[in-house]
Amino acid sequence: MECTGQNSSLWNHTALVEFILIGFSDVPNLQGFLFGIFLIIYVFILMGNSLIIMITKVDPSLQTPMYFFLRNFSFSEICYVSFTVPRLLTDLCRQHGNISLLACAIQMYFFLILSATECFILSAMAYDRYVAICNPLLYSVIMNDRLCMQLAVACWSTAIPIHTLLISVVFSSTFCGCNQLNHFFCDAPPVVQLICGDAFRVEMLLYMISALLASIPSSLIVGSYVKIVSTILKLPSATGRAKAFSTCFSHLTVVTLFFGSAIIVYFKSTTSRSTGVDKFLSLFYTILTPMLNPIIYCLRNKDVKVALEKLLQKCIVL
């Protein structure tokens, strides 16, 4: 049912009990093609990130803080996509996207927590690169096992109470009007738009939390890289500068892709939203970035490439 004309007045007086995820139903002829593409990408994400986890866990040369955080990041990517892509694939198969408020709340809750977790892990990785390049003699002392574990626990747990508050506020509100979400999963901005009554209060809370969870990691990352670049430029050897920059390239690429698209979606004003553009950008940070992560780290990181080659040689021998 479309939310236009006479139907809109009916929706406006009806409290909602479920949402309809429009997803990609506006291109019905491409449903099968999109299912195949997203399935291949999802399998690649699972396999690629699982491979990174396995390599960084078993290879002795990769038992460093840098790869400890990379392992955490890859695991978060697997969890991250698993709360969105399977549902998208199911909706493409059955060609309708009815989702209850409870299921929507659960999906949004874990998606937001894992998104924030990735932001914090990326900032921990930036701090690790800062210590390695700016304080190389003290690196093993500063980045000890205890600190790495404390940083990992903080990355995984910090967003839980914050997003518990946000989800409780959003889903304790009354939803009325059109129940159609022009999206392929329960992302926060389109859901908040369906709140009737004091929606402005909830939208401001969403912006405040998004700003907090984006500004803290991004500030730490920018601050770390200002120090890193300053230190690298002081190196006397061009080879040394190139090597130092190469160790940061993979991380910077992932940071740019993830933060760039997410910030555009979450900080655009409601009046300037284009649901088609938002949906495309959401695909970028929910599916394409997790897919690119294994490619970036395997192709641009010499240590991972060497470890992968050794693993393949062992598999061939067996």
Side-chain angles (χ1 to χ4, degrees):
M1 180 182 293
E2 294 184 1
C3 303
T4 56
Q6 295 180 345
N7 291 330
S8 61
S9 60
L10 172 63
W11 286 117
N12 286 337
H13 295 86
T14 305
L16 305 184
V17 294
E18 68 175 11
F19 296 126
I20 298 175
L21 295 170
I22 294 178
F24 299 95
S25 59
D26 52 341
V27 284
N29 295 332
L30 295 177
Q31 299 278 303
F33 173 75
L34 291 174
F35 176 86
I37 292 295
F38 291 140
L39 178 61
I40 292 171
I41 292 175
Y42 182 53
V43 171
F44 180 83
I45 291 171
L46 296 183
M47 293 179 63
N49 284 287
S50 297
L51 183 62
I52 288 178
I53 293 172
M54 182 173 64
I55 292 174
T56 56
K57 186 70 175 176
V58 302
D59 194 285
S61 65
L62 302 183
Q63 303 307 305
T64 63
M66 175 181 175
Y67 296 107
F68 169 77
F69 291 118
L70 177 58
R71 186 159 62 247
N72 274 265
F73 186 72
S74 293
F75 180 69
S76 70
E77 294 273 71
I78 293 173
C79 298
Y80 179 71
V81 297
S82 295
F83 276 100
T84 54
V85 180
R87 172 80 203 197
L88 171 59
L89 294 174
T90 302
D91 291 343
L92 286 171
C93 278
R94 62 186 185 179
Q95 298 190 359
H96 67 84
N98 298 57
I99 184 171
S100 67
L101 292 187
L102 177 60
C104 185
I106 292 172
Q107 185 184 52
M108 186 192 299
Y109 179 62
F110 285 102
F111 174 79
L112 291 176
I113 287 176
L114 290 165
S115 299
T117 298
E118 292 202 351
C119 292
F120 287 121
I121 293 175
L122 288 171
S123 64
M125 294 170 76
Y127 177 71
D128 171 74
R129 291 299 83 206
Y130 158 74
V131 177
I133 293 173
C134 299
N135 296 287
L137 298 179
L138 297 176
Y139 179 71
S140 59
V141 176
I142 297 174
M143 298 302 296
N144 54 62
D145 292 343
R146 182 180 178 183
L147 178 61
C148 290
M149 187 58 65
Q150 289 174 340
L151 288 173
V153 170
C155 290
W156 283 96
S157 60
T158 299
I160 293 176
I162 298 173
H163 282 125
T164 300
L165 169 65
L166 176 62
I167 293 298
S168 63
V169 170
V170 170
F171 285 90
S172 63
S173 304
T174 302
F175 295 94
C176 57
C178 176
N179 70 336
Q180 294 186 355
L181 289 175
N182 190 7
H183 218 300
F184 58 90
F185 74 101
C186 284
D187 203 0
V191 170
V192 169
Q193 284 185 281
L194 298 185
I195 294 176
C196 55
D198 191 11
F200 178 77
R201 175 179 61 90
V202 182
E203 191 169 275
M204 286 301 100
L205 177 63
L206 173 62
Y207 284 160
M208 288 172 59
I209 290 176
S210 300
L212 176 67
L213 295 179
S215 62
I216 294 176
S218 59
S219 298
L220 291 172
I221 292 170
V222 171
S224 296
Y225 273 103
V226 168
K227 294 285 188 179
I228 288 170
V229 171
S230 176
T231 302
I232 290 176
L233 292 177
K234 294 177 183 177
L235 295 176
S237 168
T239 304
R241 290 195 296 270
K243 183 177 180 180
F245 274 122
S246 68
T247 63
C248 302
F249 178 84
S250 300
H251 177 256
L252 271 175
T253 304
V254 173
V255 167
T256 303
L257 292 173
F258 183 82
F259 274 90
S261 54
I263 286 173
I264 291 173
V265 170
Y266 275 76
F267 291 97
K268 285 168 60 181
S269 68
T270 304
T271 55
S272 66
R273 287 191 183 280
S274 170
T275 53
V277 174
D278 286 354
K279 197 188 301 184
F280 172 77
L281 290 171
S282 297
L283 274 176
F284 209 85
Y285 67 79
T286 57
I287 297 178
L288 295 182
T289 300
M291 179 190 71
L292 292 173
N293 175 47
I295 298 174
I296 292 169
Y297 276 103
C298 287
L299 295 182
R300 294 291 308 182
N301 190 296
K302 292 182 179 179
D303 294 335
V304 175
K305 286 172 67 175
V306 171
L308 180 59
E309 289 173 0
K310 289 193 294 185
L311 179 64
L312 291 174
Q313 288 174 358
K314 287 181 181 180
C315 292
I316 292 173
V317 171
L318 295 175

